């Protein structure tokens, strides 16, 4: 019985140490993911801020395609878009900056979700390796 009790205590101690090591591994991995994610967010914020500043000053101009007015005589005759260049409307600097900010917010959300997925896979790998 003493031999069995000693073996159980030894197995418990080893399992406990393995769990602590896995916990340390997961913590280090999650910290690395968080650091990488923060750096990526900062880098992209710098690029976004510069782009938005360029849009506001007019250095970068944004435009969108628009439907051209038809010059056909008959109301039943559609205009042929292949015969004319694409009509475009230039956005005001403020509208362009607003749209760029909306797109950037979406990009940030995608980055956040990717960091969450990376974290999940890291934890899942450690847990599955331990089995």
């Amino acid at each position: 019985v003493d031999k069995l009790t000693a073996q159980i205590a030894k197995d418990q101690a080893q399992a406990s140490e393995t769990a602590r090591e896995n916990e340390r591994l997961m913590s280090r991995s999650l910290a690395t993911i968080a650091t990488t994610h923060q750096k990526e967010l900062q880098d992209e914020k710098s690029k976004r801020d510069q782009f938005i500043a360029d849009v506001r000053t007019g250095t970068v101009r944004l435009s969108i395609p628009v439907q051209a007015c038809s010059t056909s005589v008959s109301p039943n005759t559609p205009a042929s878009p292949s015969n004319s260049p694409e009509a475009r409307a230039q956005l005001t600097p403020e509208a362009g900056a607003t749209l760029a900010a909306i797109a950037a917010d979406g990009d940030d959300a995608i980055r956040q979700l990717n960091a969450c997925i990376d974290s999940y896979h890291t934890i899942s790998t450690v847990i599955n390796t331990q089995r």
Side-chain angles (χ1 to χ4, degrees):
V1 175
D2 287 334
K3 209 176 197 183
L4 181 59
T5 303
Q7 184 61 43
I8 290 172
K10 181 181 176 186
D11 290 347
Q12 285 177 336
Q14 184 161 356
S16 185
E17 180 55 35
T18 299
R20 281 192 293 278
E21 181 56 37
N22 284 338
E23 197 173 292
R24 287 189 290 270
L25 174 64
M26 287 187 282
S27 291
R28 284 191 306 268
S29 297
L30 292 176
T32 300
I33 290 169
T35 300
T36 302
H37 175 65
Q38 284 302 324
K39 180 165 178 12
E40 185 179 321
L41 284 177
Q42 289 170 352
D43 292 346
E44 290 303 317
K45 183 179 181 327
S46 294
K47 290 178 191 175
R48 170 184 47 219
D49 290 348
Q50 183 59 54
F51 179 76
I52 291 173
D54 289 346
V55 169
R56 282 197 170 114
T57 61
T59 305
V60 172
R61 295 181 305 176
L62 301 176
S63 65
I64 57 172
V66 293
Q67 186 172 357
C69 294
S70 173
T71 57
S72 61
V73 175
S74 168
N76 296 329
T77 308
S80 176
S82 61
N83 292 339
S84 62
E86 179 182 62
R88 300 196 63 83
Q90 185 172 327
L91 298 174
T92 63
E94 199 52 43
T98 299
L99 287 176
I102 291 168
D105 288 346
D107 290 345
D108 286 347
I110 290 169
R111 283 185 197 86
Q112 183 69 35
L113 289 174
N114 284 336
C116 184
I117 291 167
D118 290 345
S119 297
Y120 169 81
H121 285 301
T122 296
I123 300 301
S124 177
T125 300
V126 171
I127 290 172
N128 289 333
T129 302
Q130 140 183 28
R131 291 183 182 173

